[in-house]
Amino acid sequence: MKKIIVIGAGASGMMAAVSAKSFGGKDVDVYVLERNEYPGKKILATGNGKCNFTNIVQGPLCYRSSNPDFAWDAVLQFPAQSTIRFFLELGIYSVNRNGYLYPASGQASSVRDVLTMEMKRLGVHVLTNVFVEKVEAEGNGFCVYTKEKTFAADKVILACGGKAASYTGSDGNGYAHAEMFGHTIVPVLPALVQLRCKEKVYKKLSGVRSACKISLFSHQECVAQDSGELQLTDYGISGIPVFQVSRFAAQALREGKEVSALLDFAPDFSKEQFLDFLKRRIQSRPKKNVEEFLIGCFHKKLCDCWIYISRIDKAKLVIELTDDELEKLVRIIKEFKTTVVNVNSFDQAQVCAGGVDTKEVCVRTMESKLKKGLFFAGEILDVDGMCGGYNLQWAWSSGYLAGKHAAQ
Ligand SMILES: Cc1cc2nc3c(=O)[nH]c(=O)nc-3n(C[C@H](O)[C@H](O)[C@H](O)COP(=O)(O)OP(=O)(O)OC[C@H]3O[C@@H](n4cnc5c(N)ncnc54)[C@H](O)[C@@H]3O)c2cc1C
């Protein structure tokens, strides 16, 4: 009987184990070795405890990598529809929120539970509190070393995760196992993470939320854009649109580039439309002063900040504003420039960019091109998805392929 060892019982490892045993049946013995006391610790934290497990809107640009086609080619072999069907068979009804899918229970634990139940039903051996220290080639197979025991295996699936949220067990130690077999690690950086900005105004804006379009610049070039609810913190900016552009900020900062962002707090208007809107508002409220004038359109803390930056006297009546002053306000509100000095740490990031170079991995099988019998699944690979269920979709797709082909 062929013995398959999966290292890591996260989303990708559990999927790989289920897939390996489903395809291999009686011919394979599948072990999952997990350092935590229970499987799927990170799954429990996903989607604010609700687990956004996939997204029905899919496309190549939802997945990022230094080898851009790889992820999408893999996802197409086990796409979102397969994920939905797979979890439905395990008992999960899904709720669709603007394309983002969640289990109907509203509990991330449902996803973890059905996977652990399925592993049990199939006869997968799940060993917890087992930290894999080393993996070595042994004849045609492998030796997997833990403190207590050495396991022999015909196939090994590395599903140890990346470096984000190390409190869930993924601290980047898996990269060393891949390097032992000659694999290259594309520099690993925090992604889906908050941005730290230079300006002092953030201390006063902490806690504010606002609709916003963010454009991220590396030197003078716009490298990413997104829209949604911006969250201001005492050190900078957060929220889904910030997460979506953060991996590009991390990359540019690593390359020593100057990184800035333009924040558009009136994203539904062009500059001309917004100027026109302000002029009409002045006509209908001529007796208001500058401080009172924007109340009801934007958060008061934002209004105060913009007026302060514009250096316009807040007691001035709006009817007395000059064209230059109005245009200045429009520029500040629609093109608020902020300097990005850093991204938050791996522990605050939802995922990481970078990892095992996918050029060294077969896209059809997830098998290493450098070492036969060694497979990869999940975030350990140089693939990061956009925020919105794409990272779990990557875990399901890559785990499915790795398990299936390790078993065959
Ligand atoms: C707060 C938060 C919210 C998120 N929300 C979402 C969301 O809603 N939707 C989405 O798509 N994505 C989300 N993500 C991202 C998603 O959770 C991950 O991309 C995905 O879980 C990665 O799965 P994985 O199996 O590759 O790695 P992991 O889940 O990190 O699993 C790796 C496992 O390997 C174990 N391990 C590591 N090294 C060893 C070793 N040497 N020996 C034994 N075991 C080892 C770890 O303990 C861990 O259990 C979120 C992430 C975070 C942190």
Side-chain angles (χ1 to χ4, degrees):
M1 192 193 284
K2 195 194 293 182
K3 188 164 166 184
I4 300 173
I5 291 187
V6 182
I7 304 176
S12 67
M14 288 196 276
M15 177 54 118
V18 167
S19 170
K21 193 66 189 163
S22 304
F23 281 99
K26 289 198 182 75
D27 299 334
V28 297
D29 208 7
V30 181
Y31 282 76
V32 182
L33 309 184
E34 168 56 52
R35 71 190 294 184
N36 287 331
E37 60 279 20
Y38 57 85
K41 194 167 179 181
K42 190 176 282 178
I43 292 177
L44 301 183
T46 58
N48 286 324
K50 293 187 162 76
C51 187
N52 170 206
F53 70 95
T54 188
N55 197 307
I56 53 166
V57 180
Q58 294 276 338
L61 297 180
C62 302
Y63 301 88
R64 288 96 178 242
S65 167
S66 57
N67 181 19
D69 295 338
F70 181 89
W72 185 237
D73 288 349
V75 168
L76 284 177
Q77 297 172 71
F78 189 83
Q81 287 313 321
S82 303
T83 299
I84 296 164
R85 211 173 311 121
F86 171 82
F87 281 108
L88 185 59
E89 272 168 28
L90 299 190
I92 300 260
Y93 291 111
S94 42
V95 174
N96 178 341
R97 299 206 174 97
N98 295 327
Y100 293 39
L101 293 199
Y102 297 83
S105 63
Q107 290 183 295
S109 57
S110 308
V111 173
R112 193 273 312 262
D113 290 349
V114 295
L115 285 165
T116 48
M117 288 190 285
E118 184 64 357
M119 289 196 292
K120 190 169 174 197
R121 185 186 74 80
L122 291 166
V124 172
H125 311 278
V126 180
L127 309 185
T128 53
N129 290 314
V130 176
F131 180 74
V132 172
E133 295 178 329
K134 201 164 66 171
V135 184
E136 275 182 354
E138 173 76 31
N140 287 333
F142 298 86
C143 269
V144 176
Y145 297 91
T146 70
K147 200 169 260 154
E148 291 77 22
K149 207 175 153 188
T150 300
F151 296 82
D154 298 293
K155 308 278 172 83
V156 165
I157 301 176
L158 280 179
C160 319
K163 224 176 152 176
S166 63
Y167 55 89
T168 62
S170 53
D171 59 3
N173 79 86
Y175 302 130
H177 301 318
E179 282 177 311
M180 285 284 287
F181 293 96
H183 279 281
T184 312
I185 307 301
V186 175
V188 181
L189 300 165
L192 302 190
V193 69
Q194 306 83 0
L195 300 182
R196 306 188 77 86
C197 302
K198 188 171 153 190
E199 293 76 15
K200 292 207 174 67
V201 288
Y202 288 104
K203 289 253 177 302
K204 291 196 177 137
L205 295 174
S206 179
V208 172
R209 291 167 182 242
S210 171
C212 186
K213 176 178 174 190
I214 177 170
S215 306
L216 188 87
F217 289 81
S218 162
H219 280 332
Q220 305 305 322
E221 188 195 350
C222 181
V223 289
Q225 283 188 323
D226 204 69
S227 299
E229 189 184 63
L230 183 81
Q231 295 175 26
L232 295 125
T233 69
D234 59 354
Y235 58 80
I237 48 179
S238 180
I240 290 177
V242 173
F243 281 13
Q244 302 291 31
V245 303
S246 59
R247 57 109 60 209
F248 299 100
Q251 219 164 30
L253 288 165
R254 184 182 174 274
E255 289 162 10
K257 297 198 173 134
E258 230 169 68
V259 180
S260 61
L262 275 192
L263 306 179
D264 177 353
F265 289 95
D268 296 334
F269 295 86
S270 68
K271 259 162 94 174
E272 295 68 31
Q273 286 170 335
F274 191 55
L275 181 62
D276 191 47
F277 164 77
L278 292 185
K279 283 182 176 165
R280 278 188 281 119
R281 197 168 161 88
I282 288 172
Q283 292 311 317
S284 60
R285 296 163 180 82
K287 292 279 166 16
K288 293 213 171 187
N289 66 29
V290 173
E291 189 181 21
E292 298 159 341
F293 168 64
L294 290 172
I295 293 176
C297 295
F298 300 100
H299 195 290
K300 178 78 167 61
K301 283 187 186 176
L302 276 175
C303 303
D304 292 347
C305 162
W306 294 329
I307 295 165
Y308 171 77
I309 293 171
S310 73
R311 293 169 195 264
I312 301 171
D313 178 3
K314 60 183 180 187
K316 188 171 184 175
L317 287 183
V318 283
I319 197 76
E320 291 165 6
L321 282 173
T322 64
D323 282 353
D324 276 0
E325 284 173 328
L326 261 183
E327 274 163 25
K328 195 174 189 182
L329 266 183
V330 169
R331 267 200 312 279
I332 292 172
I333 296 171
K334 283 200 59 71
E335 292 173 354
F336 186 91
K337 189 176 176 189
T338 186
T339 304
V340 179
V341 289
N342 211 342
V343 297
N344 264 351
S345 71
F346 283 107
D347 267 355
Q348 282 139 305
Q350 287 198 358
V351 294
C352 54
V356 175
D357 192 339
T358 55
K359 292 188 205 81
E360 299 164 353
V361 177
C362 170
V363 69
R364 208 178 51 78
T365 62
M366 295 296 127
E367 188 172 19
S368 163
K369 290 179 183 171
L370 310 182
K371 173 67 186 144
K372 206 169 166 3
L374 179 69
F375 294 77
F376 296 96
E379 210 178 306
I380 192 171
L381 286 160
D382 170 28
V383 172
D384 55 293
M386 279 170 46
C387 189
Y390 301 101
N391 287 291
L392 282 172
Q393 180 57 50
W394 171 244
W396 313 133
S397 301
S398 56
Y400 169 86
L401 291 174
K404 173 179 176 183
H405 293 282
Q408 283 174 350

mmCIF file with all atom_site columns, all heavy atoms in Angstrom, residues 205-228:
data_model
loop_
_atom_site.group_PDB
_atom_site.id
_atom_site.type_symbol
_atom_site.label_atom_id
_atom_site.label_alt_id
_atom_site.label_comp_id
_atom_site.label_asym_id
_atom_site.label_entity_id
_atom_site.label_seq_id
_atom_site.pdbx_PDB_ins_code
_atom_site.Cartn_x
_atom_site.Cartn_y
_atom_site.Cartn_z
_atom_site.occupancy
_atom_site.B_iso_or_equiv
_atom_site.pdbx_formal_charge
_atom_site.auth_seq_id
_atom_site.auth_comp_id
_atom_site.auth_asym_id
_atom_site.auth_atom_id
_atom_site.pdbx_PDB_model_num
ATOM 1   N N   . LEU A 1 205 ? -7.890  60.872 12.829  1.00 0.00 ? 205 LEU A N   1
ATOM 2   C CA  . LEU A 1 205 ? -8.931  60.261 11.984  1.00 0.00 ? 205 LEU A CA  1
ATOM 3   C C   . LEU A 1 205 ? -9.258  58.823 12.381  1.00 0.00 ? 205 LEU A C   1
ATOM 4   O O   . LEU A 1 205 ? -10.145 58.200 11.785  1.00 0.00 ? 205 LEU A O   1
ATOM 5   C CB  . LEU A 1 205 ? -8.483  60.286 10.520  1.00 0.00 ? 205 LEU A CB  1
ATOM 6   C CG  . LEU A 1 205 ? -8.323  61.685 9.897   1.00 0.00 ? 205 LEU A CG  1
ATOM 7   C CD1 . LEU A 1 205 ? -7.742  61.578 8.497   1.00 0.00 ? 205 LEU A CD1 1
ATOM 8   C CD2 . LEU A 1 205 ? -9.675  62.390 9.844   1.00 0.00 ? 205 LEU A CD2 1
ATOM 9   N N   . SER A 1 206 ? -8.539  58.324 13.370  1.00 0.00 ? 206 SER A N   1
ATOM 10  C CA  . SER A 1 206 ? -8.700  56.917 13.748  1.00 0.00 ? 206 SER A CA  1
ATOM 11  C C   . SER A 1 206 ? -10.175 56.575 14.030  1.00 0.00 ? 206 SER A C   1
ATOM 12  O O   . SER A 1 206 ? -10.862 57.316 14.725  1.00 0.00 ? 206 SER A O   1
ATOM 13  C CB  . SER A 1 206 ? -7.847  56.642 14.981  1.00 0.00 ? 206 SER A CB  1
ATOM 14  O OG  . SER A 1 206 ? -8.012  55.312 15.352  1.00 0.00 ? 206 SER A OG  1
ATOM 15  N N   . GLY A 1 207 ? -10.626 55.484 13.443  1.00 0.00 ? 207 GLY A N   1
ATOM 16  C CA  . GLY A 1 207 ? -11.997 55.018 13.677  1.00 0.00 ? 207 GLY A CA  1
ATOM 17  C C   . GLY A 1 207 ? -12.974 55.441 12.590  1.00 0.00 ? 207 GLY A C   1
ATOM 18  O O   . GLY A 1 207 ? -14.081 54.910 12.509  1.00 0.00 ? 207 GLY A O   1
ATOM 19  N N   . VAL A 1 208 ? -12.543 56.370 11.723  1.00 0.00 ? 208 VAL A N   1
ATOM 20  C CA  . VAL A 1 208 ? -13.445 56.840 10.668  1.00 0.00 ? 208 VAL A CA  1
ATOM 21  C C   . VAL A 1 208 ? -13.521 55.805 9.538   1.00 0.00 ? 208 VAL A C   1
ATOM 22  O O   . VAL A 1 208 ? -12.520 55.178 9.184   1.00 0.00 ? 208 VAL A O   1
ATOM 23  C CB  . VAL A 1 208 ? -12.933 58.193 10.091  1.00 0.00 ? 208 VAL A CB  1
ATOM 24  C CG1 . VAL A 1 208 ? -13.734 58.607 8.869   1.00 0.00 ? 208 VAL A CG1 1
ATOM 25  C CG2 . VAL A 1 208 ? -12.981 59.270 11.159  1.00 0.00 ? 208 VAL A CG2 1
ATOM 26  N N   . ARG A 1 209 ? -14.705 55.641 8.981   1.00 0.00 ? 209 ARG A N   1
ATOM 27  C CA  . ARG A 1 209 ? -14.889 54.790 7.799   1.00 0.00 ? 209 ARG A CA  1
ATOM 28  C C   . ARG A 1 209 ? -15.518 55.637 6.713   1.00 0.00 ? 209 ARG A C   1
ATOM 29  O O   . ARG A 1 209 ? -16.378 56.471 7.006   1.00 0.00 ? 209 ARG A O   1
ATOM 30  C CB  . ARG A 1 209 ? -15.816 53.603 8.097   1.00 0.00 ? 209 ARG A CB  1
ATOM 31  C CG  . ARG A 1 209 ? -15.195 52.597 9.031   1.00 0.00 ? 209 ARG A CG  1
ATOM 32  C CD  . ARG A 1 209 ? -16.222 51.612 9.549   1.00 0.00 ? 209 ARG A CD  1
ATOM 33  N NE  . ARG A 1 209 ? -15.593 50.691 10.476  1.00 0.00 ? 209 ARG A NE  1
ATOM 34  C CZ  . ARG A 1 209 ? -15.519 49.379 10.290  1.00 0.00 ? 209 ARG A CZ  1
ATOM 35  N NH1 . ARG A 1 209 ? -16.062 48.821 9.232   1.00 0.00 ? 209 ARG A NH1 1
ATOM 36  N NH2 . ARG A 1 209 ? -14.920 48.605 11.172  1.00 0.00 ? 209 ARG A NH2 1
ATOM 37  N N   . SER A 1 210 ? -15.117 55.400 5.483   1.00 0.00 ? 210 SER A N   1
ATOM 38  C CA  . SER A 1 210 ? -15.684 56.211 4.391   1.00 0.00 ? 210 SER A CA  1
ATOM 39  C C   . SER A 1 210 ? -15.592 55.452 3.068   1.00 0.00 ? 210 SER A C   1
ATOM 40  O O   . SER A 1 210 ? -14.643 54.689 2.855   1.00 0.00 ? 210 SER A O   1
ATOM 41  C CB  . SER A 1 210 ? -14.883 57.513 4.275   1.00 0.00 ? 210 SER A CB  1
ATOM 42  O OG  . SER A 1 210 ? -15.277 58.213 3.121   1.00 0.00 ? 210 SER A OG  1
ATOM 43  N N   . ALA A 1 211 ? -16.549 55.709 2.191   1.00 0.00 ? 211 ALA A N   1
ATOM 44  C CA  . ALA A 1 211 ? -16.434 55.190 0.823   1.00 0.00 ? 211 ALA A CA  1
ATOM 45  C C   . ALA A 1 211 ? -15.203 55.842 0.202   1.00 0.00 ? 211 ALA A C   1
ATOM 46  O O   . ALA A 1 211 ? -14.944 57.028 0.441   1.00 0.00 ? 211 ALA A O   1
ATOM 47  C CB  . ALA A 1 211 ? -17.677 55.559 0.026   1.00 0.00 ? 211 ALA A CB  1
ATOM 48  N N   . CYS A 1 212 ? -14.457 55.070 -0.585  1.00 0.00 ? 212 CYS A N   1
ATOM 49  C CA  . CYS A 1 212 ? -13.205 55.617 -1.117  1.00 0.00 ? 212 CYS A CA  1
ATOM 50  C C   . CYS A 1 212 ? -12.720 54.788 -2.302  1.00 0.00 ? 212 CYS A C   1
ATOM 51  O O   . CYS A 1 212 ? -12.956 53.586 -2.364  1.00 0.00 ? 212 CYS A O   1
ATOM 52  C CB  . CYS A 1 212 ? -12.145 55.574 -0.012  1.00 0.00 ? 212 CYS A CB  1
ATOM 53  S SG  . CYS A 1 212 ? -10.610 56.369 -0.450  1.00 0.00 ? 212 CYS A SG  1
ATOM 54  N N   . LYS A 1 213 ? -12.061 55.485 -3.219  1.00 0.00 ? 213 LYS A N   1
ATOM 55  C CA  . LYS A 1 213 ? -11.320 54.757 -4.259  1.00 0.00 ? 213 LYS A CA  1
ATOM 56  C C   . LYS A 1 213 ? -9.850  55.009 -3.978  1.00 0.00 ? 213 LYS A C   1
ATOM 57  O O   . LYS A 1 213 ? -9.450  56.160 -3.798  1.00 0.00 ? 213 LYS A O   1
ATOM 58  C CB  . LYS A 1 213 ? -11.695 55.298 -5.640  1.00 0.00 ? 213 LYS A CB  1
ATOM 59  C CG  . LYS A 1 213 ? -10.896 54.660 -6.758  1.00 0.00 ? 213 LYS A CG  1
ATOM 60  C CD  . LYS A 1 213 ? -11.356 55.204 -8.088  1.00 0.00 ? 213 LYS A CD  1
ATOM 61  C CE  . LYS A 1 213 ? -10.476 54.689 -9.196  1.00 0.00 ? 213 LYS A CE  1
ATOM 62  N NZ  . LYS A 1 213 ? -10.746 55.380 -10.457 1.00 0.00 ? 213 LYS A NZ  1
ATOM 63  N N   . ILE A 1 214 ? -9.077  53.937 -3.922  1.00 0.00 ? 214 ILE A N   1
ATOM 64  C CA  . ILE A 1 214 ? -7.647  54.105 -3.647  1.00 0.00 ? 214 ILE A CA  1
ATOM 65  C C   . ILE A 1 214 ? -6.850  53.771 -4.901  1.00 0.00 ? 214 ILE A C   1
ATOM 66  O O   . ILE A 1 214 ? -7.113  52.768 -5.566  1.00 0.00 ? 214 ILE A O   1
ATOM 67  C CB  . ILE A 1 214 ? -7.204  53.245 -2.427  1.00 0.00 ? 214 ILE A CB  1
ATOM 68  C CG1 . ILE A 1 214 ? -5.688  53.368 -2.204  1.00 0.00 ? 214 ILE A CG1 1
ATOM 69  C CG2 . ILE A 1 214 ? -7.595  51.802 -2.539  1.00 0.00 ? 214 ILE A CG2 1
ATOM 70  C CD1 . ILE A 1 214 ? -5.218  52.746 -0.888  1.00 0.00 ? 214 ILE A CD1 1
ATOM 71  N N   . SER A 1 215 ? -5.905  54.640 -5.236  1.00 0.00 ? 215 SER A N   1
ATOM 72  C CA  . SER A 1 215 ? -4.973  54.371 -6.346  1.00 0.00 ? 215 SER A CA  1
ATOM 73  C C   . SER A 1 215 ? -3.581  54.328 -5.736  1.00 0.00 ? 215 SER A C   1
ATOM 74  O O   . SER A 1 215 ? -3.164  55.280 -5.075  1.00 0.00 ? 215 SER A O   1
ATOM 75  C CB  . SER A 1 215 ? -5.031  55.479 -7.391  1.00 0.00 ? 215 SER A CB  1
ATOM 76  O OG  . SER A 1 215 ? -6.364  55.662 -7.806  1.00 0.00 ? 215 SER A OG  1
ATOM 77  N N   . LEU A 1 216 ? -2.892  53.219 -5.957  1.00 0.00 ? 216 LEU A N   1
ATOM 78  C CA  . LEU A 1 216 ? -1.565  53.052 -5.357  1.00 0.00 ? 216 LEU A CA  1
ATOM 79  C C   . LEU A 1 216 ? -0.484  53.348 -6.385  1.00 0.00 ? 216 LEU A C   1
ATOM 80  O O   . LEU A 1 216 ? -0.535  52.827 -7.511  1.00 0.00 ? 216 LEU A O   1
ATOM 81  C CB  . LEU A 1 216 ? -1.413  51.617 -4.835  1.00 0.00 ? 216 LEU A CB  1
ATOM 82  C CG  . LEU A 1 216 ? -0.147  51.410 -4.016  1.00 0.00 ? 216 LEU A CG  1
ATOM 83  C CD1 . LEU A 1 216 ? -0.399  51.756 -2.551  1.00 0.00 ? 216 LEU A CD1 1
ATOM 84  C CD2 . LEU A 1 216 ? 0.373   49.998 -4.149  1.00 0.00 ? 216 LEU A CD2 1
ATOM 85  N N   . PHE A 1 217 ? 0.490   54.143 -6.000  1.00 0.00 ? 217 PHE A N   1
ATOM 86  C CA  . PHE A 1 217 ? 1.571   54.528 -6.907  1.00 0.00 ? 217 PHE A CA  1
ATOM 87  C C   . PHE A 1 217 ? 2.912   54.009 -6.395  1.00 0.00 ? 217 PHE A C   1
ATOM 88  O O   . PHE A 1 217 ? 3.213   54.105 -5.210  1.00 0.00 ? 217 PHE A O   1
ATOM 89  C CB  . PHE A 1 217 ? 1.648   56.062 -7.031  1.00 0.00 ? 217 PHE A CB  1
ATOM 90  C CG  . PHE A 1 217 ? 0.490   56.632 -7.816  1.00 0.00 ? 217 PHE A CG  1
ATOM 91  C CD1 . PHE A 1 217 ? -0.737  56.838 -7.192  1.00 0.00 ? 217 PHE A CD1 1
ATOM 92  C CD2 . PHE A 1 217 ? 0.617   56.927 -9.163  1.00 0.00 ? 217 PHE A CD2 1
ATOM 93  C CE1 . PHE A 1 217 ? -1.813  57.335 -7.905  1.00 0.00 ? 217 PHE A CE1 1
ATOM 94  C CE2 . PHE A 1 217 ? -0.452  57.435 -9.884  1.00 0.00 ? 217 PHE A CE2 1
ATOM 95  C CZ  . PHE A 1 217 ? -1.683  57.629 -9.254  1.00 0.00 ? 217 PHE A CZ  1
ATOM 96  N N   . SER A 1 218 ? 3.677   53.458 -7.327  1.00 0.00 ? 218 SER A N   1
ATOM 97  C CA  . SER A 1 218 ? 5.052   53.084 -7.033  1.00 0.00 ? 218 SER A CA  1
ATOM 98  C C   . SER A 1 218 ? 5.884   54.038 -7.881  1.00 0.00 ? 218 SER A C   1
ATOM 99  O O   . SER A 1 218 ? 5.786   54.012 -9.107  1.00 0.00 ? 218 SER A O   1
ATOM 100 C CB  . SER A 1 218 ? 5.262   51.630 -7.462  1.00 0.00 ? 218 SER A CB  1
ATOM 101 O OG  . SER A 1 218 ? 6.611   51.344 -7.584  1.00 0.00 ? 218 SER A OG  1
ATOM 102 N N   . HIS A 1 219 ? 6.710   54.873 -7.237  1.00 0.00 ? 219 HIS A N   1
ATOM 103 C CA  . HIS A 1 219 ? 7.262   56.064 -7.902  1.00 0.00 ? 219 HIS A CA  1
ATOM 104 C C   . HIS A 1 219 ? 6.057   56.810 -8.497  1.00 0.00 ? 219 HIS A C   1
ATOM 105 O O   . HIS A 1 219 ? 5.092   57.056 -7.812  1.00 0.00 ? 219 HIS A O   1
ATOM 106 C CB  . HIS A 1 219 ? 8.327   55.712 -8.932  1.00 0.00 ? 219 HIS A CB  1
ATOM 107 C CG  . HIS A 1 219 ? 9.662   55.428 -8.290  1.00 0.00 ? 219 HIS A CG  1
ATOM 108 N ND1 . HIS A 1 219 ? 10.062  55.972 -7.113  1.00 0.00 ? 219 HIS A ND1 1
ATOM 109 C CD2 . HIS A 1 219 ? 10.701  54.634 -8.677  1.00 0.00 ? 219 HIS A CD2 1
ATOM 110 C CE1 . HIS A 1 219 ? 11.267  55.549 -6.783  1.00 0.00 ? 219 HIS A CE1 1
ATOM 111 N NE2 . HIS A 1 219 ? 11.682  54.716 -7.707  1.00 0.00 ? 219 HIS A NE2 1
ATOM 112 N N   . GLN A 1 220 ? 6.060   57.099 -9.766  1.00 0.00 ? 220 GLN A N   1
ATOM 113 C CA  . GLN A 1 220 ? 4.929   57.881 -10.301 1.00 0.00 ? 220 GLN A CA  1
ATOM 114 C C   . GLN A 1 220 ? 3.884   56.982 -10.989 1.00 0.00 ? 220 GLN A C   1
ATOM 115 O O   . GLN A 1 220 ? 2.885   57.469 -11.492 1.00 0.00 ? 220 GLN A O   1
ATOM 116 C CB  . GLN A 1 220 ? 5.437   58.909 -11.332 1.00 0.00 ? 220 GLN A CB  1
ATOM 117 C CG  . GLN A 1 220 ? 6.523   59.834 -10.810 1.00 0.00 ? 220 GLN A CG  1
ATOM 118 C CD  . GLN A 1 220 ? 6.098   60.558 -9.538  1.00 0.00 ? 220 GLN A CD  1
ATOM 119 O OE1 . GLN A 1 220 ? 4.949   60.953 -9.392  1.00 0.00 ? 220 GLN A OE1 1
ATOM 120 N NE2 . GLN A 1 220 ? 7.017   60.706 -8.602  1.00 0.00 ? 220 GLN A NE2 1
ATOM 121 N N   . GLU A 1 221 ? 4.137   55.686 -10.995 1.00 0.00 ? 221 GLU A N   1
ATOM 122 C CA  . GLU A 1 221 ? 3.277   54.789 -11.792 1.00 0.00 ? 221 GLU A CA  1
ATOM 123 C C   . GLU A 1 221 ? 2.154   54.193 -10.936 1.00 0.00 ? 221 GLU A C   1
ATOM 124 O O   . GLU A 1 221 ? 2.409   53.660 -9.845  1.00 0.00 ? 221 GLU A O   1
ATOM 125 C CB  . GLU A 1 221 ? 4.152   53.661 -12.362 1.00 0.00 ? 221 GLU A CB  1
ATOM 126 C CG  . GLU A 1 221 ? 3.444   52.779 -13.345 1.00 0.00 ? 221 GLU A CG  1
ATOM 127 C CD  . GLU A 1 221 ? 4.221   51.483 -13.595 1.00 0.00 ? 221 GLU A CD  1
ATOM 128 O OE1 . GLU A 1 221 ? 5.381   51.391 -13.148 1.00 0.00 ? 221 GLU A OE1 1
ATOM 129 O OE2 . GLU A 1 221 ? 3.650   50.581 -14.198 1.00 0.00 ? 221 GLU A OE2 1
ATOM 130 N N   . CYS A 1 222 ? 0.920   54.285 -11.468 1.00 0.00 ? 222 CYS A N   1
ATOM 131 C CA  . CYS A 1 222 ? -0.208  53.680 -10.751 1.00 0.00 ? 222 CYS A CA  1
ATOM 132 C C   . CYS A 1 222 ? -0.151  52.159 -10.945 1.00 0.00 ? 222 CYS A C   1
ATOM 133 O O   . CYS A 1 222 ? -0.214  51.668 -12.071 1.00 0.00 ? 222 CYS A O   1
ATOM 134 C CB  . CYS A 1 222 ? -1.525  54.236 -11.288 1.00 0.00 ? 222 CYS A CB  1
ATOM 135 S SG  . CYS A 1 222 ? -2.942  53.532 -10.423 1.00 0.00 ? 222 CYS A SG  1
ATOM 136 N N   . VAL A 1 223 ? 0.004   51.402 -9.842  1.00 0.00 ? 223 VAL A N   1
ATOM 137 C CA  . VAL A 1 223 ? 0.175   49.956 -9.969  1.00 0.00 ? 223 VAL A CA  1
ATOM 138 C C   . VAL A 1 223 ? -1.064  49.167 -9.526  1.00 0.00 ? 223 VAL A C   1
ATOM 139 O O   . VAL A 1 223 ? -1.191  47.983 -9.841  1.00 0.00 ? 223 VAL A O   1
ATOM 140 C CB  . VAL A 1 223 ? 1.421   49.453 -9.192  1.00 0.00 ? 223 VAL A CB  1
ATOM 141 C CG1 . VAL A 1 223 ? 2.691   49.898 -9.883  1.00 0.00 ? 223 VAL A CG1 1
ATOM 142 C CG2 . VAL A 1 223 ? 1.425   49.925 -7.737  1.00 0.00 ? 223 VAL A CG2 1
ATOM 143 N N   . ALA A 1 224 ? -1.983  49.816 -8.818  1.00 0.00 ? 224 ALA A N   1
ATOM 144 C CA  . ALA A 1 224 ? -3.201  49.096 -8.407  1.00 0.00 ? 224 ALA A CA  1
ATOM 145 C C   . ALA A 1 224 ? -4.264  50.096 -7.964  1.00 0.00 ? 224 ALA A C   1
ATOM 146 O O   . ALA A 1 224 ? -3.942  51.187 -7.470  1.00 0.00 ? 224 ALA A O   1
ATOM 147 C CB  . ALA A 1 224 ? -2.882  48.141 -7.253  1.00 0.00 ? 224 ALA A CB  1
ATOM 148 N N   . GLN A 1 225 ? -5.511  49.690 -8.149  1.00 0.00 ? 225 GLN A N   1
ATOM 149 C CA  . GLN A 1 225 ? -6.645  50.535 -7.743  1.00 0.00 ? 225 GLN A CA  1
ATOM 150 C C   . GLN A 1 225 ? -7.732  49.654 -7.164  1.00 0.00 ? 225 GLN A C   1
ATOM 151 O O   . GLN A 1 225 ? -7.896  48.506 -7.587  1.00 0.00 ? 225 GLN A O   1
ATOM 152 C CB  . GLN A 1 225 ? -7.238  51.241 -8.965  1.00 0.00 ? 225 GLN A CB  1
ATOM 153 C CG  . GLN A 1 225 ? -6.445  52.420 -9.442  1.00 0.00 ? 225 GLN A CG  1
ATOM 154 C CD  . GLN A 1 225 ? -7.169  53.200 -10.521 1.00 0.00 ? 225 GLN A CD  1
ATOM 155 O OE1 . GLN A 1 225 ? -7.839  52.591 -11.352 1.00 0.00 ? 225 GLN A OE1 1
ATOM 156 N NE2 . GLN A 1 225 ? -7.031  54.506 -10.512 1.00 0.00 ? 225 GLN A NE2 1
ATOM 157 N N   . ASP A 1 226 ? -8.490  50.183 -6.221  1.00 0.00 ? 226 ASP A N   1
ATOM 158 C CA  . ASP A 1 226 ? -9.664  49.459 -5.743  1.00 0.00 ? 226 ASP A CA  1
ATOM 159 C C   . ASP A 1 226 ? -10.610 50.445 -5.054  1.00 0.00 ? 226 ASP A C   1
ATOM 160 O O   . ASP A 1 226 ? -10.196 51.540 -4.672  1.00 0.00 ? 226 ASP A O   1
ATOM 161 C CB  . ASP A 1 226 ? -9.276  48.335 -4.781  1.00 0.00 ? 226 ASP A CB  1
ATOM 162 C CG  . ASP A 1 226 ? -10.341 47.258 -4.756  1.00 0.00 ? 226 ASP A CG  1
ATOM 163 O OD1 . ASP A 1 226 ? -10.495 46.542 -5.765  1.00 0.00 ? 226 ASP A OD1 1
ATOM 164 O OD2 . ASP A 1 226 ? -11.071 47.146 -3.750  1.00 0.00 ? 226 ASP A OD2 1
ATOM 165 N N   . SER A 1 227 ? -11.855 50.052 -4.923  1.00 0.00 ? 227 SER A N   1
ATOM 166 C CA  . SER A 1 227 ? -12.854 50.914 -4.272  1.00 0.00 ? 227 SER A CA  1
ATOM 167 C C   . SER A 1 227 ? -13.596 50.125 -3.212  1.00 0.00 ? 227 SER A C   1
ATOM 168 O O   . SER A 1 227 ? -13.726 48.898 -3.313  1.00 0.00 ? 227 SER A O   1
ATOM 169 C CB  . SER A 1 227 ? -13.895 51.377 -5.298  1.00 0.00 ? 227 SER A CB  1
ATOM 170 O OG  . SER A 1 227 ? -13.252 52.106 -6.301  1.00 0.00 ? 227 SER A OG  1
ATOM 171 N N   . GLY A 1 228 ? -14.113 50.835 -2.224  1.00 0.00 ? 228 GLY A N   1
ATOM 172 C CA  . GLY A 1 228 ? -14.889 50.180 -1.171  1.00 0.00 ? 228 GLY A CA  1
ATOM 173 C C   . GLY A 1 228 ? -14.817 51.011 0.089   1.00 0.00 ? 228 GLY A C   1
ATOM 174 O O   . GLY A 1 228 ? -14.536 52.212 0.031   1.00 0.00 ? 228 GLY A O   1
#
